[in-house]
Amino acid sequence: MKKSLLFALTLLLLTVGMFSCQKDPAGDSPEPSTGPDRKALLTHWADSLVKPAYQRFNDKLVVLKAKTTAFTAAPAPATLEELRQAWQAAYVEWQKVELYEFGPAEQVSLRNHFNIYPADVTGINRNITSGSYDFELSTAIPQQGFPTLDYLLNGVATGDAAIAQRYASSANHRRYLTDVVAKMEQTFGTVYAQWNGSYRDTFINNAGTDASSSLSRVINAYSLYYERYLRAGKIGIPAGAMTGAPLPDKIEAYYQRGALPLQLATTAHAAVQQFFTGRTGQPSLKSYLDALGAKDSRTGQSLTSIISAQFGVSAQQLASLGPDLHATITARNADAVASYNEMQKAVRLIKVDMTSAMGITVTYVDNDGD
Amino acid sequence: MQSSRLQRYLHAYTPAAPLATFRMAFGLLVLASVVRFWAKGWIDELYLQPKFFFPYYGFEWVRPLGVYTYGLFAFCGLCALLVTLGYRYRAASLGLFLSFTYIELMDKSTYLNHYYFVSLAALLLALLPAGRYFALDTHRHPARWRSEVPRWTVDALRLLMGIVYVYAGLAKLNSDWLVEAMPLRIWLPAKNDLPLIGPLLGQVWVAYAFSWFGAVYDLTVPFFLLYRRTRPWAYVTVVVFHVLTAVLFPIGMFPYVMMVAALVFFPGAWHERVLQRLRGLLRSSPTAPFSPTPLRYGPARRQLLLLTLGVFFAVQLVLPFRYLLYPHELFWTEEGYRFSWRVMLMEKMGYVQFKVVDGATGRIRQVDNRAHLSVLQEKMMSTQPDMLVQFAHYLRDYYAGQGVQRPQVYADAYVSLNGRLGKSFIDPTVDLARVKDDLQPKPWILPFDDEITGL
């Protein structure tokens, strides 16, 4: 009897000890003694990734706006080409921020306003003719943003002279072009302002791992982006990887074609890769997973080396689809499908292995662990 | 000799107070659970929004009732309140058991061991004479009042608690839990921003300490609760343990239910003191005028009750071991996993992409799971083969309704378990539309390619 009392007492002391032990203030042990620091990670993301990337994108949007004004004031092949350059530059820059669809961007559905394709040409032309449209309607999602500009700058007529002429002769066209760009500027402006305002602190202070934490939102946005908008949107759907029926007309920047569609895809892929790897000495998903000691317990291989390797293979396969993605999907579709398959492997690693290793919960509902 | 000891035990009497406090505390907690569930909007999210629900084998007829599901929850909450008050106790406790169990059977994806415990405890309460003391019923009908009950009626609740703890402990005796400290090694660092204990949670030795302590605790605590000398200390560890789990894990009401239910191990005199204090608060008249009155069952009724309890506990003891009937790794296939007190044992995550092929044209359609399922349903389904088949059958019927000829349904599923790199989970070439949904072993689950030793 005495013995069991002693035992119960020991158990109790052990537990109470766990409660009351304080962190060793020295903290100079070689191993990470307290595990990964989420707040440092979130702070780095906010201050060194999201905000600077938004700023660079904002700069491109400002140029796009100026060139749009210049073109609509004097529609000609020269001003058209300048506008097109500004559109391309902004579109490429967009690929580096589209993955940040959390917080303010998620709130305004930034992607819906910027990059849902293929563009709804019938709807766009109806809007131009009627002169009345509401970009907040869900039907208007493919009637705005970069894909619509793609059509407006490349697809409304054949040849630069004819396109410029279309704008010279139609006030409705000029107005629609202006409104599309203005809507982009306005929507992004609210997101940009919030990050430069109070949202940054909200973001870094929500440092838990539950379903509403910043980390959980970032990971959700990140894997959703990679799976649905990069893997499926840019390659899978046009290559027919999921259905067996190639639809090359569904590529991004379809009216521009040439090298741009692949450039957009590789830029997006590099952004995803970069977000994972981070900069040397700075916190990142990679350093977070390494601090957790995440590894495949079957083989002992570190999870980050597996993910980095798969990103490498996937980036390489994607780069091989050049120079003209539209031509590649038509001529050697198997390569495009192979690229999709490599990205699919990376999706699994991110959505399942990485998320699981980080102990992120995906729902608020009670759950006892299966 | 043995049989006479058993006879003596079966004819021993004990104060009815523990049954009364258990009844009230349990009723209040279930009521709180219902209110909490409702307030969080989960009735709508989990039982009204989804287009499809995952029924249990043999209970396919149990479905959410549309908007009347709110009525079902209200009825359940009302029964819980009546059980607490001891008003029309027999009907109320039966109503509580039936309505709560019906709710749990509506959709597999909300399965929780603690809900299973509530169902079982409610069933026991419906059988036991918990409404004969400190109840409105005895206030209305003083003739029904009994201050003592057969000892085995109180012990039945203790035995259920004991089974829950010991089986939860046995389930922890496996190599992932003890040797790898999985899944706590994943879950604890995710909570390293908690005040005080946070910094410790990132350390691997803490995950081991929690794992081993958890296993020893579960296996031994009911025995320490049984003995007078260790009981207070054991109860302190019950509180500390469950408070810790409440802080660390999203397991809702479970810690509170267990903390309160464990009080049933305290002796009748202790419960009597609690009730005495409650009488003071309620300014209700003392029960002094009555002399101690035991509840004596008629022989037939007593036999029937004992037989029912015997069957109940035999099932409880055997059911968790049904997994032995299946050939492969339990944690991987989850064949025989539920209803076995396997709590917080796995960090299992999956990803599944369904593909529907038109049997006539060969046209392929990819399925967006979220167009049909809630976040919780998709999460649960992606790691549980029986749910994958059920959803595949739903897809077959759904796409047939959309004009697809002889739809074939294939799933590309990828699952990671306790820190192992994910791997393909089921055979992607098997047409799940034609696979039977039954309790047979599922040959189309791909091998686990690893071993977890232990129970």
Side-chain angles (χ1 to χ4, degrees), chain A residues 96-125:
Chain A
K96 303 173 191 171
V97 298
E98 190 179 328
L99 69 163
Y100 303 141
E101 184 100 347
F102 45 80
E106 189 185 5
Q107 231 168 50
V108 302
S109 306
L110 194 62
R111 182 183 294 120
N112 280 353
H113 291 291
F114 271 77
N115 199 23
I116 298 300
Y117 52 91
D120 170 15
V121 169
T122 317
I124 293 169
N125 285 326

PDB file of all heavy atoms in Angstrom, chain A residues 96-125:
ATOM      1  N   LYS A  96       4.665  35.740 -58.542  1.00  0.00           N
ATOM      2  CA  LYS A  96       5.421  35.674 -57.294  1.00  0.00           C
ATOM      3  C   LYS A  96       4.565  36.057 -56.077  1.00  0.00           C
ATOM      4  O   LYS A  96       5.027  35.954 -54.943  1.00  0.00           O
ATOM      5  CB  LYS A  96       6.645  36.607 -57.378  1.00  0.00           C
ATOM      6  CG  LYS A  96       7.551  36.274 -58.568  1.00  0.00           C
ATOM      7  CD  LYS A  96       8.653  37.304 -58.728  1.00  0.00           C
ATOM      8  CE  LYS A  96       9.383  37.123 -60.046  1.00  0.00           C
ATOM      9  NZ  LYS A  96      10.310  38.243 -60.307  1.00  0.00           N
ATOM     10  N   VAL A  97       3.343  36.526 -56.322  1.00  0.00           N
ATOM     11  CA  VAL A  97       2.468  36.874 -55.179  1.00  0.00           C
ATOM     12  C   VAL A  97       1.172  36.070 -55.146  1.00  0.00           C
ATOM     13  O   VAL A  97       0.482  36.054 -54.132  1.00  0.00           O
ATOM     14  CB  VAL A  97       2.114  38.388 -55.150  1.00  0.00           C
ATOM     15  CG1 VAL A  97       3.369  39.229 -54.996  1.00  0.00           C
ATOM     16  CG2 VAL A  97       1.333  38.792 -56.384  1.00  0.00           C
ATOM     17  N   GLU A  98       0.877  35.371 -56.251  1.00  0.00           N
ATOM     18  CA  GLU A  98      -0.413  34.675 -56.285  1.00  0.00           C
ATOM     19  C   GLU A  98      -0.507  33.634 -55.170  1.00  0.00           C
ATOM     20  O   GLU A  98      -1.590  33.344 -54.667  1.00  0.00           O
ATOM     21  CB  GLU A  98      -0.660  34.019 -57.651  1.00  0.00           C
ATOM     22  CG  GLU A  98      -2.092  33.503 -57.773  1.00  0.00           C
ATOM     23  CD  GLU A  98      -2.416  32.856 -59.107  1.00  0.00           C
ATOM     24  OE1 GLU A  98      -1.860  33.273 -60.150  1.00  0.00           O
ATOM     25  OE2 GLU A  98      -3.248  31.924 -59.107  1.00  0.00           O
ATOM     26  N   LEU A  99       0.621  33.068 -54.751  1.00  0.00           N
ATOM     27  CA  LEU A  99       0.589  32.036 -53.706  1.00  0.00           C
ATOM     28  C   LEU A  99       0.230  32.593 -52.329  1.00  0.00           C
ATOM     29  O   LEU A  99      -0.097  31.840 -51.430  1.00  0.00           O
ATOM     30  CB  LEU A  99       1.908  31.263 -53.654  1.00  0.00           C
ATOM     31  CG  LEU A  99       3.177  31.948 -53.177  1.00  0.00           C
ATOM     32  CD1 LEU A  99       4.227  30.918 -52.830  1.00  0.00           C
ATOM     33  CD2 LEU A  99       3.720  32.907 -54.216  1.00  0.00           C
ATOM     34  N   TYR A 100       0.262  33.904 -52.166  1.00  0.00           N
ATOM     35  CA  TYR A 100      -0.054  34.495 -50.854  1.00  0.00           C
ATOM     36  C   TYR A 100      -1.549  34.764 -50.689  1.00  0.00           C
ATOM     37  O   TYR A 100      -1.939  35.817 -50.199  1.00  0.00           O
ATOM     38  CB  TYR A 100       0.723  35.796 -50.654  1.00  0.00           C
ATOM     39  CG  TYR A 100       2.226  35.640 -50.772  1.00  0.00           C
ATOM     40  CD1 TYR A 100       3.002  36.618 -51.396  1.00  0.00           C
ATOM     41  CD2 TYR A 100       2.875  34.522 -50.252  1.00  0.00           C
ATOM     42  CE1 TYR A 100       4.381  36.481 -51.508  1.00  0.00           C
ATOM     43  CE2 TYR A 100       4.250  34.372 -50.362  1.00  0.00           C
ATOM     44  CZ  TYR A 100       4.998  35.359 -50.989  1.00  0.00           C
ATOM     45  OH  TYR A 100       6.356  35.216 -51.095  1.00  0.00           O
ATOM     46  N   GLU A 101      -2.379  33.825 -51.101  1.00  0.00           N
ATOM     47  CA  GLU A 101      -3.831  34.047 -50.999  1.00  0.00           C
ATOM     48  C   GLU A 101      -4.326  33.668 -49.599  1.00  0.00           C
ATOM     49  O   GLU A 101      -5.067  32.708 -49.410  1.00  0.00           O
ATOM     50  CB  GLU A 101      -4.553  33.234 -52.092  1.00  0.00           C
ATOM     51  CG  GLU A 101      -6.060  33.456 -52.145  1.00  0.00           C
ATOM     52  CD  GLU A 101      -6.508  34.412 -53.238  1.00  0.00           C
ATOM     53  OE1 GLU A 101      -5.647  35.106 -53.818  1.00  0.00           O
ATOM     54  OE2 GLU A 101      -7.721  34.469 -53.496  1.00  0.00           O
ATOM     55  N   PHE A 102      -3.863  34.421 -48.603  1.00  0.00           N
ATOM     56  CA  PHE A 102      -4.360  34.265 -47.231  1.00  0.00           C
ATOM     57  C   PHE A 102      -4.494  35.659 -46.642  1.00  0.00           C
ATOM     58  O   PHE A 102      -3.935  36.620 -47.173  1.00  0.00           O
ATOM     59  CB  PHE A 102      -3.413  33.393 -46.395  1.00  0.00           C
ATOM     60  CG  PHE A 102      -1.944  33.715 -46.557  1.00  0.00           C
ATOM     61  CD1 PHE A 102      -1.374  34.787 -45.883  1.00  0.00           C
ATOM     62  CD2 PHE A 102      -1.142  32.952 -47.389  1.00  0.00           C
ATOM     63  CE1 PHE A 102      -0.025  35.084 -46.030  1.00  0.00           C
ATOM     64  CE2 PHE A 102       0.210  33.253 -47.552  1.00  0.00           C
ATOM     65  CZ  PHE A 102       0.770  34.324 -46.875  1.00  0.00           C
ATOM     66  N   GLY A 103      -5.225  35.775 -45.548  1.00  0.00           N
ATOM     67  CA  GLY A 103      -5.422  37.092 -44.935  1.00  0.00           C
ATOM     68  C   GLY A 103      -6.184  38.020 -45.874  1.00  0.00           C
ATOM     69  O   GLY A 103      -7.195  37.629 -46.456  1.00  0.00           O
ATOM     70  N   PRO A 104      -5.695  39.238 -46.053  1.00  0.00           N
ATOM     71  CA  PRO A 104      -6.417  40.215 -46.869  1.00  0.00           C
ATOM     72  C   PRO A 104      -6.686  39.732 -48.300  1.00  0.00           C
ATOM     73  O   PRO A 104      -7.763  39.975 -48.849  1.00  0.00           O
ATOM     74  CB  PRO A 104      -5.484  41.430 -46.888  1.00  0.00           C
ATOM     75  CG  PRO A 104      -4.626  41.280 -45.684  1.00  0.00           C
ATOM     76  CD  PRO A 104      -4.498  39.815 -45.426  1.00  0.00           C
ATOM     77  N   ALA A 105      -5.711  39.051 -48.900  1.00  0.00           N
ATOM     78  CA  ALA A 105      -5.903  38.573 -50.269  1.00  0.00           C
ATOM     79  C   ALA A 105      -7.043  37.574 -50.343  1.00  0.00           C
ATOM     80  O   ALA A 105      -7.859  37.591 -51.271  1.00  0.00           O
ATOM     81  CB  ALA A 105      -4.612  37.940 -50.795  1.00  0.00           C
ATOM     82  N   GLU A 106      -7.111  36.698 -49.330  1.00  0.00           N
ATOM     83  CA  GLU A 106      -8.179  35.703 -49.304  1.00  0.00           C
ATOM     84  C   GLU A 106      -9.523  36.393 -49.104  1.00  0.00           C
ATOM     85  O   GLU A 106     -10.525  36.029 -49.713  1.00  0.00           O
ATOM     86  CB  GLU A 106      -7.907  34.701 -48.177  1.00  0.00           C
ATOM     87  CG  GLU A 106      -8.839  33.512 -48.200  1.00  0.00           C
ATOM     88  CD  GLU A 106      -8.634  32.583 -47.017  1.00  0.00           C
ATOM     89  OE1 GLU A 106      -7.840  32.914 -46.127  1.00  0.00           O
ATOM     90  OE2 GLU A 106      -9.291  31.537 -47.000  1.00  0.00           O
ATOM     91  N   GLN A 107      -9.503  37.427 -48.252  1.00  0.00           N
ATOM     92  CA  GLN A 107     -10.739  38.137 -47.953  1.00  0.00           C
ATOM     93  C   GLN A 107     -11.376  38.755 -49.195  1.00  0.00           C
ATOM     94  O   GLN A 107     -12.580  38.694 -49.376  1.00  0.00           O
ATOM     95  CB  GLN A 107     -10.421  39.258 -46.973  1.00  0.00           C
ATOM     96  CG  GLN A 107     -11.314  39.278 -45.768  1.00  0.00           C
ATOM     97  CD  GLN A 107     -10.749  40.228 -44.726  1.00  0.00           C
ATOM     98  OE1 GLN A 107     -10.423  41.377 -45.032  1.00  0.00           O
ATOM     99  NE2 GLN A 107     -10.605  39.738 -43.521  1.00  0.00           N
ATOM    100  N   VAL A 108     -10.559  39.341 -50.072  1.00  0.00           N
ATOM    101  CA  VAL A 108     -11.127  39.975 -51.271  1.00  0.00           C
ATOM    102  C   VAL A 108     -11.101  39.025 -52.463  1.00  0.00           C
ATOM    103  O   VAL A 108     -11.432  39.420 -53.577  1.00  0.00           O
ATOM    104  CB  VAL A 108     -10.382  41.280 -51.636  1.00  0.00           C
ATOM    105  CG1 VAL A 108     -10.432  42.264 -50.493  1.00  0.00           C
ATOM    106  CG2 VAL A 108      -8.941  40.998 -52.056  1.00  0.00           C
ATOM    107  N   SER A 109     -10.708  37.759 -52.251  1.00  0.00           N
ATOM    108  CA  SER A 109     -10.558  36.794 -53.351  1.00  0.00           C
ATOM    109  C   SER A 109      -9.704  37.387 -54.462  1.00  0.00           C
ATOM    110  O   SER A 109     -10.110  37.479 -55.612  1.00  0.00           O
ATOM    111  CB  SER A 109     -11.917  36.378 -53.920  1.00  0.00           C
ATOM    112  OG  SER A 109     -12.741  35.920 -52.904  1.00  0.00           O
ATOM    113  N   LEU A 110      -8.495  37.769 -54.089  1.00  0.00           N
ATOM    114  CA  LEU A 110      -7.613  38.461 -55.029  1.00  0.00           C
ATOM    115  C   LEU A 110      -7.431  37.686 -56.328  1.00  0.00           C
ATOM    116  O   LEU A 110      -7.500  38.257 -57.416  1.00  0.00           O
ATOM    117  CB  LEU A 110      -6.253  38.689 -54.352  1.00  0.00           C
ATOM    118  CG  LEU A 110      -5.317  39.679 -55.057  1.00  0.00           C
ATOM    119  CD1 LEU A 110      -5.938  41.057 -55.103  1.00  0.00           C
ATOM    120  CD2 LEU A 110      -3.954  39.726 -54.367  1.00  0.00           C
ATOM    121  N   ARG A 111      -7.216  36.386 -56.206  1.00  0.00           N
ATOM    122  CA  ARG A 111      -6.974  35.587 -57.419  1.00  0.00           C
ATOM    123  C   ARG A 111      -8.145  35.665 -58.381  1.00  0.00           C
ATOM    124  O   ARG A 111      -7.955  35.758 -59.586  1.00  0.00           O
ATOM    125  CB  ARG A 111      -6.693  34.131 -57.034  1.00  0.00           C
ATOM    126  CG  ARG A 111      -6.383  33.233 -58.217  1.00  0.00           C
ATOM    127  CD  ARG A 111      -6.194  31.789 -57.805  1.00  0.00           C
ATOM    128  NE  ARG A 111      -5.032  31.597 -56.977  1.00  0.00           N
ATOM    129  CZ  ARG A 111      -5.062  31.114 -55.731  1.00  0.00           C
ATOM    130  NH1 ARG A 111      -6.210  30.793 -55.193  1.00  0.00           N
ATOM    131  NH2 ARG A 111      -3.958  30.970 -55.034  1.00  0.00           N
ATOM    132  N   ASN A 112      -9.360  35.617 -57.833  1.00  0.00           N
ATOM    133  CA  ASN A 112     -10.547  35.698 -58.694  1.00  0.00           C
ATOM    134  C   ASN A 112     -10.566  36.979 -59.515  1.00  0.00           C
ATOM    135  O   ASN A 112     -11.108  37.021 -60.608  1.00  0.00           O
ATOM    136  CB  ASN A 112     -11.820  35.639 -57.849  1.00  0.00           C
ATOM    137  CG  ASN A 112     -12.157  34.212 -57.455  1.00  0.00           C
ATOM    138  OD1 ASN A 112     -11.518  33.272 -57.928  1.00  0.00           O
ATOM    139  ND2 ASN A 112     -13.136  34.064 -56.582  1.00  0.00           N
ATOM    140  N   HIS A 113      -9.987  38.019 -58.973  1.00  0.00           N
ATOM    141  CA  HIS A 113      -9.972  39.297 -59.696  1.00  0.00           C
ATOM    142  C   HIS A 113      -8.773  39.421 -60.617  1.00  0.00           C
ATOM    143  O   HIS A 113      -8.707  40.347 -61.419  1.00  0.00           O
ATOM    144  CB  HIS A 113      -9.965  40.464 -58.702  1.00  0.00           C
ATOM    145  CG  HIS A 113     -11.253  40.613 -57.957  1.00  0.00           C
ATOM    146  ND1 HIS A 113     -12.425  41.031 -58.550  1.00  0.00           N
ATOM    147  CD2 HIS A 113     -11.570  40.376 -56.663  1.00  0.00           C
ATOM    148  CE1 HIS A 113     -13.400  41.050 -57.656  1.00  0.00           C
ATOM    149  NE2 HIS A 113     -12.900  40.654 -56.496  1.00  0.00           N
ATOM    150  N   PHE A 114      -7.796  38.520 -60.470  1.00  0.00           N
ATOM    151  CA  PHE A 114      -6.554  38.707 -61.217  1.00  0.00           C
ATOM    152  C   PHE A 114      -6.227  37.621 -62.221  1.00  0.00           C
ATOM    153  O   PHE A 114      -5.641  37.907 -63.255  1.00  0.00           O
ATOM    154  CB  PHE A 114      -5.367  38.853 -60.235  1.00  0.00           C
ATOM    155  CG  PHE A 114      -5.136  40.262 -59.819  1.00  0.00           C
ATOM    156  CD1 PHE A 114      -5.948  40.867 -58.890  1.00  0.00           C
ATOM    157  CD2 PHE A 114      -4.107  41.003 -60.383  1.00  0.00           C
ATOM    158  CE1 PHE A 114      -5.745  42.181 -58.511  1.00  0.00           C
ATOM    159  CE2 PHE A 114      -3.898  42.324 -60.009  1.00  0.00           C
ATOM    160  CZ  PHE A 114      -4.719  42.920 -59.068  1.00  0.00           C
ATOM    161  N   ASN A 115      -6.544  36.367 -61.914  1.00  0.00           N
ATOM    162  CA  ASN A 115      -5.965  35.362 -62.796  1.00  0.00           C
ATOM    163  C   ASN A 115      -6.787  34.088 -62.902  1.00  0.00           C
ATOM    164  O   ASN A 115      -6.285  33.000 -62.682  1.00  0.00           O
ATOM    165  CB  ASN A 115      -4.535  35.033 -62.342  1.00  0.00           C
ATOM    166  CG  ASN A 115      -3.734  34.373 -63.448  1.00  0.00           C
ATOM    167  OD1 ASN A 115      -4.060  34.532 -64.630  1.00  0.00           O
ATOM    168  ND2 ASN A 115      -2.701  33.627 -63.089  1.00  0.00           N
ATOM    169  N   ILE A 116      -8.068  34.213 -63.268  1.00  0.00           N
ATOM    170  CA  ILE A 116      -8.851  33.022 -63.571  1.00  0.00           C
ATOM    171  C   ILE A 116      -9.023  32.960 -65.083  1.00  0.00           C
ATOM    172  O   ILE A 116      -9.518  33.895 -65.704  1.00  0.00           O
ATOM    173  CB  ILE A 116     -10.222  33.062 -62.856  1.00  0.00           C
ATOM    174  CG1 ILE A 116     -10.040  33.089 -61.328  1.00  0.00           C
ATOM    175  CG2 ILE A 116     -11.072  31.870 -63.272  1.00  0.00           C
ATOM    176  CD1 ILE A 116      -9.314  31.902 -60.725  1.00  0.00           C
ATOM    177  N   TYR A 117      -8.566  31.878 -65.673  1.00  0.00           N
ATOM    178  CA  TYR A 117      -8.590  31.730 -67.124  1.00  0.00           C
ATOM    179  C   TYR A 117      -9.125  30.351 -67.473  1.00  0.00           C
ATOM    180  O   TYR A 117      -9.139  29.468 -66.606  1.00  0.00           O
ATOM    181  CB  TYR A 117      -7.184  31.948 -67.703  1.00  0.00           C
ATOM    182  CG  TYR A 117      -6.104  31.114 -67.044  1.00  0.00           C
ATOM    183  CD1 TYR A 117      -5.771  29.841 -67.534  1.00  0.00           C
ATOM    184  CD2 TYR A 117      -5.415  31.586 -65.920  1.00  0.00           C
ATOM    185  CE1 TYR A 117      -4.792  29.088 -66.923  1.00  0.00           C
ATOM    186  CE2 TYR A 117      -4.433  30.820 -65.307  1.00  0.00           C
ATOM    187  CZ  TYR A 117      -4.131  29.563 -65.817  1.00  0.00           C
ATOM    188  OH  TYR A 117      -3.158  28.804 -65.197  1.00  0.00           O
ATOM    189  N   PRO A 118      -9.531  30.070 -68.690  1.00  0.00           N
ATOM    190  CA  PRO A 118      -9.518  30.986 -69.824  1.00  0.00           C
ATOM    191  C   PRO A 118     -10.517  32.140 -69.652  1.00  0.00           C
ATOM    192  O   PRO A 118     -11.539  31.995 -68.984  1.00  0.00           O
ATOM    193  CB  PRO A 118      -9.938  30.080 -70.994  1.00  0.00           C
ATOM    194  CG  PRO A 118     -10.642  28.936 -70.383  1.00  0.00           C
ATOM    195  CD  PRO A 118     -10.040  28.737 -69.040  1.00  0.00           C
ATOM    196  N   ALA A 119     -10.193  33.259 -70.306  1.00  0.00           N
ATOM    197  CA  ALA A 119     -11.059  34.426 -70.257  1.00  0.00           C
ATOM    198  C   ALA A 119     -12.380  34.106 -70.955  1.00  0.00           C
ATOM    199  O   ALA A 119     -12.419  33.333 -71.915  1.00  0.00           O
ATOM    200  CB  ALA A 119     -10.375  35.601 -70.948  1.00  0.00           C
ATOM    201  N   ASP A 120     -13.441  34.703 -70.443  1.00  0.00           N
ATOM    202  CA  ASP A 120     -14.776  34.510 -71.017  1.00  0.00           C
ATOM    203  C   ASP A 120     -14.980  35.569 -72.107  1.00  0.00           C
ATOM    204  O   ASP A 120     -15.485  36.663 -71.864  1.00  0.00           O
ATOM    205  CB  ASP A 120     -15.810  34.641 -69.892  1.00  0.00           C
ATOM    206  CG  ASP A 120     -17.227  34.706 -70.408  1.00  0.00           C
ATOM    207  OD1 ASP A 120     -17.455  34.360 -71.594  1.00  0.00           O
ATOM    208  OD2 ASP A 120     -18.110  35.107 -69.622  1.00  0.00           O
ATOM    209  N   VAL A 121     -14.566  35.204 -73.331  1.00  0.00           N
ATOM    210  CA  VAL A 121     -14.549  36.186 -74.423  1.00  0.00           C
ATOM    211  C   VAL A 121     -15.952  36.677 -74.756  1.00  0.00           C
ATOM    212  O   VAL A 121     -16.181  37.875 -74.961  1.00  0.00           O
ATOM    213  CB  VAL A 121     -13.857  35.567 -75.660  1.00  0.00           C
ATOM    214  CG1 VAL A 121     -14.059  36.443 -76.876  1.00  0.00           C
ATOM    215  CG2 VAL A 121     -12.380  35.358 -75.369  1.00  0.00           C
ATOM    216  N   THR A 122     -16.902  35.748 -74.769  1.00  0.00           N
ATOM    217  CA  THR A 122     -18.275  36.154 -75.056  1.00  0.00           C
ATOM    218  C   THR A 122     -18.756  37.184 -74.047  1.00  0.00           C
ATOM    219  O   THR A 122     -19.341  38.211 -74.410  1.00  0.00           O
ATOM    220  CB  THR A 122     -19.204  34.919 -75.009  1.00  0.00           C
ATOM    221  OG1 THR A 122     -18.552  33.847 -75.683  1.00  0.00           O
ATOM    222  CG2 THR A 122     -20.532  35.213 -75.647  1.00  0.00           C
ATOM    223  N   GLY A 123     -18.492  36.891 -72.785  1.00  0.00           N
ATOM    224  CA  GLY A 123     -18.915  37.795 -71.715  1.00  0.00           C
ATOM    225  C   GLY A 123     -18.216  39.141 -71.824  1.00  0.00           C
ATOM    226  O   GLY A 123     -18.847  40.193 -71.632  1.00  0.00           O
ATOM    227  N   ILE A 124     -16.913  39.103 -72.124  1.00  0.00           N
ATOM    228  CA  ILE A 124     -16.154  40.347 -72.239  1.00  0.00           C
ATOM    229  C   ILE A 124     -16.745  41.209 -73.354  1.00  0.00           C
ATOM    230  O   ILE A 124     -16.999  42.409 -73.169  1.00  0.00           O
ATOM    231  CB  ILE A 124     -14.664  40.037 -72.523  1.00  0.00           C
ATOM    232  CG1 ILE A 124     -14.025  39.354 -71.302  1.00  0.00           C
ATOM    233  CG2 ILE A 124     -13.903  41.308 -72.892  1.00  0.00           C
ATOM    234  CD1 ILE A 124     -12.645  38.776 -71.564  1.00  0.00           C
ATOM    235  N   ASN A 125     -17.004  40.584 -74.481  1.00  0.00           N
ATOM    236  CA  ASN A 125     -17.543  41.358 -75.609  1.00  0.00           C
ATOM    237  C   ASN A 125     -18.937  41.888 -75.310  1.00  0.00           C
ATOM    238  O   ASN A 125     -19.296  43.003 -75.725  1.00  0.00           O
ATOM    239  CB  ASN A 125     -17.535  40.500 -76.881  1.00  0.00           C
ATOM    240  CG  ASN A 125     -16.122  40.373 -77.437  1.00  0.00           C
ATOM    241  OD1 ASN A 125     -15.311  41.317 -77.329  1.00  0.00           O
ATOM    242  ND2 ASN A 125     -15.795  39.217 -77.992  1.00  0.00           N
TER     243      ASN A 125
END
